[in-house]
Amino acid sequence: MQRRSVVEASNDPAARAAAVEAQALSMSEDEYVAARWQAEIEAETTAWTVEGESLDRYDRRRGGTGFAAKDLAFIAGERVKEFSEPGDSDKSRCNASARSRDCRASAEGGTMPETRYDDLRALFLNCTLKRSPELTHTGGLIDLSRAILEKQGVQVEVLRAVDLDIATGVWPDMTEHGWASDAWPRLYREHVLPADILVIAGPIWLGDNSSITKKVIERLYACSHLLNDAGQYAYYGRVGGCLITGNEDGVKHCAQNILYSLQHLGYTIPPQADAGWIGEAGPGPSYLDPGSGGPQNDFTNRNTTFMTWNLLHLARMLKDAGGIPAYGNQRSEWDAGCRFDFPNPEYR
């Protein structure tokens, strides 16, 4: 099969790759994949030079055959040939490229995934130390995830925990333990339990989660012994994630503490369920400060997007399945004597 050239030749591999993407929607699947391979091979060839040496000369000096450029060109030709006459495995890769183009089309107002999420609810608990209406950098990162959820029809709530009269302690209602007031019982009943998705978001202070983040996790823990209708712990069937902001190191440390806590309490954690942004070590701009680069950071934007969609997918799966299967994990049944195949010496 003879393949026509779909992109004008360029001495700049990056420009060629950009040209491929610019013309992607007008290409067939075969043309798009072949053009992508050509651009990648050109970039690889360009990278295979050291201090201006040609690829073959560098290869000979390192003890090679001296025909590395020819070998690389052969590989490129074989890859392009594969996509010119796709077999079963290649068709799947072509389909992947088509999905990639569909994603670009959706960003321009085209089709979106057929799965619906408009019956889901999400709750972001912003654990900033700043009371409303003061600017919260954590809130800026929350807004990115919130926008994706709302575009899918998810009902989203964002609450600042510091604005609420949440008592300190590890009981469901601290007014029963000497506190004059406690907003947690209502928050748990009307906001936490109805949410299919819970995201705990907060800042880094001294390399660790904020005191408000710790308080929220402690109050979640206070209700973790409560059971659902199936006799499982109450948070079963819900998914959790976290967002972290700061201007020094500590994102992974804070995330691991939050995600461990959530799964221990009964939440289900999807892959890549955390995202964050930090600036350089030492005093400096925070996420929303002018010149921070935070809102433009591709790493943060990508991870926030992946986290949001993974939360969506897993929440959809759990809701459609009716939650986590109720066998082998029911506290009510264990207390009644059921051991779910756990060896019981008394019956030997």
Side-chain angles (χ1 to χ4, degrees):
M1 172 179 174
Q2 185 141 16
R3 187 180 51 79
R4 66 181 178 87
S5 176
V6 293
V7 179
E8 292 296 324
S10 169
N11 292 328
D12 182 0
R16 185 179 182 88
V20 170
E21 297 304 318
Q23 299 182 34
L25 294 178
S26 63
M27 296 180 189
S28 69
E29 293 179 8
D30 292 2
E31 291 169 342
Y32 174 74
V33 178
R36 281 288 300 273
W37 273 118
Q38 285 180 320
E40 291 174 14
I41 288 298
E42 285 190 5
E44 192 172 352
T45 303
T46 301
W48 264 81
T49 58
V50 177
E51 297 180 355
E53 285 188 305
S54 70
L55 177 60
D56 286 347
R57 184 175 179 181
Y58 174 73
D59 186 42
R60 282 196 299 272
R61 186 166 62 81
R62 294 296 300 272
T65 63
F67 295 102
K70 183 181 293 185
D71 294 340
L72 196 56
F74 174 77
I75 294 171
E78 289 299 303
R79 288 174 176 174
V80 170
K81 181 179 177 182
E82 289 177 6
F83 287 109
S84 297
E85 300 176 357
D88 290 341
S89 62
D90 301 316
K91 286 178 182 178
S92 66
R93 283 178 282 185
C94 288
N95 290 336
S97 72
R99 288 194 295 272
S100 178
R101 293 201 301 281
D102 289 342
C103 185
R104 287 192 295 275
S106 70
E108 299 170 4
T111 59
M112 291 299 288
E114 294 181 2
T115 304
R116 296 185 60 172
Y117 304 95
D118 53 6
D119 60 335
L120 298 178
R121 294 181 61 171
L123 172 64
F124 289 86
L125 288 177
N126 186 344
C127 297
T128 176
L129 301 183
K130 301 172 183 175
R131 302 192 70 175
S132 298
E134 189 175 355
L135 174 70
T136 160
H137 298 282
T138 301
L141 195 54
I142 288 173
D143 287 343
L144 299 180
S145 180
R146 177 181 187 170
I148 296 172
L149 293 173
E150 290 183 336
K151 190 170 184 179
Q152 297 305 311
V154 178
Q155 181 180 336
V156 180
E157 280 189 296
V158 179
L159 299 176
R160 286 199 202 191
V162 74
D163 289 340
L164 307 174
D165 183 24
I166 301 174
T168 300
V170 289
W171 295 97
D173 186 349
M174 292 306 299
T175 63
E176 298 175 358
H177 297 270
W179 286 74
S181 61
D182 186 6
W184 180 258
R186 182 176 179 181
L187 177 62
Y188 171 80
R189 182 177 62 253
E190 298 182 5
H191 302 276
V192 174
L193 275 188
D196 304 287
I197 299 169
L198 173 65
V199 178
I200 295 181
I204 303 169
W205 289 107
L206 296 175
D208 208 343
N209 287 305
S210 73
S211 58
I212 300 298
T213 301
K214 293 289 191 180
K215 177 186 283 189
V216 165
I217 290 174
E218 288 168 351
R219 297 312 303 275
L220 286 167
Y221 174 69
C223 296
S224 64
H225 68 287
L226 302 176
L227 306 180
N228 62 21
D229 292 340
Q232 302 165 312
Y233 291 115
Y235 299 126
Y236 274 39
R238 296 164 176 80
V239 301
C242 68
L243 293 170
I244 307 295
T245 58
N247 66 356
E248 293 190 45
D249 192 19
V251 169
K252 290 181 174 61
H253 170 75
C254 293
Q256 73 180 13
N257 178 262
I258 293 172
L259 295 180
Y260 166 78
S261 299
L262 290 178
Q263 66 80 30
H264 184 75
L265 301 182
Y267 280 88
T268 304
I269 310 300
Q272 296 179 308
D274 65 297
W277 182 87
I278 51 173
E280 295 182 357
S286 294
Y287 180 72
L288 292 179
D289 287 338
S292 72
Q296 296 80 37
N297 187 281
D298 184 71
F299 181 81
T300 295
N301 293 339
R302 183 193 70 197
N303 285 353
T304 302
T305 301
F306 285 12
M307 179 207 74
T308 306
W309 275 102
N310 286 339
L311 289 169
L312 270 173
H313 294 318
L314 190 54
R316 175 78 279 153
M317 294 166 64
L318 285 173
K319 199 174 189 74
D320 289 347
I324 301 292
Y327 182 81
N329 53 22
Q330 297 157 289
R331 175 62 185 267
S332 59
E333 295 299 310
W334 182 274
D335 290 346
C338 182
R339 288 298 176 262
F340 307 109
D341 299 327
F342 182 83
N344 189 341
E346 295 180 7
Y347 291 94
R348 288 179 181 174

